[in-house]
């Protein structure tokens, strides 16, 4: 009788150990599967984020602007772009190199980056009816266009209008180097101050 109890005890112990081992094996398998799924999910999220960033960069890089013809020269002077201000209205060739003689012909690039590049493109013009006298009528929010042969036609929106002393050159500095910015410069009627109109690309 004692021998039967011992055998029964051994069999029960083996059964319990087998069941316990099976449960531990199942639990370990489930934990492993869960970790793998979490890694796959995290990897998918990271990939999605990278793809979205890539799309944003591509969109910014491949932005296309309308193309229009721009003269190479105007009255013997090299042209870098043309200016159109519909609200005045004004259409003018922007000469590439500033000089007193060139300024008598048309407005000129005065300082800064090339037309429609990131940075500050400064344009100077005399306060005459055929040139920049009309820009004093412009208001905040008004828009104008700069067209060059490389990038195309870009629309700008005025965000600041000011009058400064002739020796104040702060307007030549860009507000930000990461945006397209244009500064229009002319003198007041009495020539005692400079009218400064700043605009940045309209998005």
């Amino acid at each position: 009788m004692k021998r039967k109890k011992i055998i029964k005890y051994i069999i029960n112990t083996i059964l319990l150990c087998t069941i316990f081992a099976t449960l531990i094996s199942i639990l370990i398998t489930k934990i492993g599967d869960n970790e793998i799924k979490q890694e796959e999910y995290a990897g998918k999220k990271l990939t999605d984020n990278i793809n979205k960033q890539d799309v944003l960069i591509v969109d910014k890089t491949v932005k296309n602007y309308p193309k229009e013809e721009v003269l190479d020269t105007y009255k013997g002077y090299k042209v870098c772009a043309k200016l159109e201000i519909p609200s005045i209205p004004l259409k003018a060739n922007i000469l590439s190199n500033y000089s007193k003689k060139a300024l008598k012909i048309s407005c000129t690039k005065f300082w800064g980056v090339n037309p429609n590049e990131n940075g500050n493109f400064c344009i100077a013009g005399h306060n005459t009816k055929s040139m920049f006298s009309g820009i004093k009528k412009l208001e905040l929010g008004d828009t104008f266009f700069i067209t060059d042969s490389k990038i195309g036609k870009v629309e700008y929106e005025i965000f600041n209008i000011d009058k400064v002393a002739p020796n104040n050159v702060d307007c030549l500095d860009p507000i930000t180097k990461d945006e397209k910015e244009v500064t229009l410069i002319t003198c007041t009627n009495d020539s005692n101050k400079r009218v400064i109109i700043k605009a940045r690309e309209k998005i």
Side-chain angles (χ1 to χ4, degrees):
M1 189 75 179
K2 189 176 181 180
R3 186 177 176 184
K4 286 184 178 179
K5 285 184 178 180
I6 293 171
I7 293 170
K8 190 176 181 180
Y9 176 77
I10 291 171
I11 291 171
N12 287 337
T13 302
I14 292 171
L15 285 173
L16 286 173
C17 289
T18 303
I19 292 169
F20 186 70
T22 303
L23 290 173
I24 290 175
S25 176
I26 292 171
L27 183 62
I28 290 172
T29 302
K30 285 188 175 181
I31 291 171
D33 289 344
N34 187 47
E35 287 178 351
I36 290 170
K37 287 178 181 177
Q38 286 180 350
E39 287 175 1
E40 288 174 349
Y41 179 69
K44 185 177 181 182
K45 284 181 71 178
L46 180 60
T47 303
D48 287 347
N49 288 338
I50 290 173
N51 288 339
K52 287 177 183 176
Q53 290 172 2
D54 288 344
V55 168
L56 289 174
I57 291 170
V58 169
D59 287 347
K60 188 174 180 180
T61 303
V62 301
K63 182 175 181 180
N64 290 320
Y65 297 95
K67 305 299 183 192
E68 289 186 4
E69 185 180 354
V70 178
L71 296 178
D72 291 327
T73 59
Y74 178 69
K75 295 186 177 181
Y77 290 85
K78 188 177 178 182
V79 172
C80 63
K82 65 179 178 181
L83 169 67
E84 297 175 78
I85 309 178
S87 60
I88 298 179
L90 172 69
K91 290 184 180 181
N93 293 299
I94 305 170
L95 306 183
S96 299
N97 300 309
Y98 172 84
S99 69
K100 289 183 178 180
K101 288 184 177 180
L103 206 56
K104 292 178 180 180
I105 302 299
S106 187
C107 56
T108 72
K109 174 184 175 179
F110 182 70
W111 190 264
V113 298
N114 292 323
N116 295 329
E117 291 184 351
N118 287 351
N120 189 14
F121 176 54
C122 301
I123 309 168
H126 276 311
N127 180 17
T128 61
K129 288 183 179 180
S130 61
M131 213 173 297
F132 271 13
S133 65
I135 72 170
K136 296 188 291 297
K137 300 175 184 177
L138 295 174
E139 299 177 350
L140 297 178
D142 284 348
T143 61
F144 59 83
F145 300 90
I146 301 288
T147 307
D148 72 296
S149 56
K150 181 180 178 182
I151 296 172
K153 186 174 185 177
V154 182
E155 185 176 13
Y156 293 86
E157 183 174 357
I158 296 171
F159 68 88
N160 189 62
I161 299 174
D162 200 6
K163 291 180 182 178
V164 301
N167 59 352
N168 186 333
V169 294
D170 291 345
C171 65
L172 303 181
D173 294 328
I175 301 298
T176 170
K177 294 180 180 179
D178 297 325
E179 292 182 296
K180 293 178 174 62
E181 184 181 320
V182 173
T183 302
L184 305 179
I185 306 170
T186 193
C187 57
T188 56
N189 291 336
D190 57 11
S191 298
N192 288 331
K193 289 190 174 183
R194 299 288 180 263
V195 178
I196 307 296
I197 295 179
K198 297 190 79 67
R200 61 171 62 99
E201 181 181 8
K202 186 175 181 179
I203 305 298

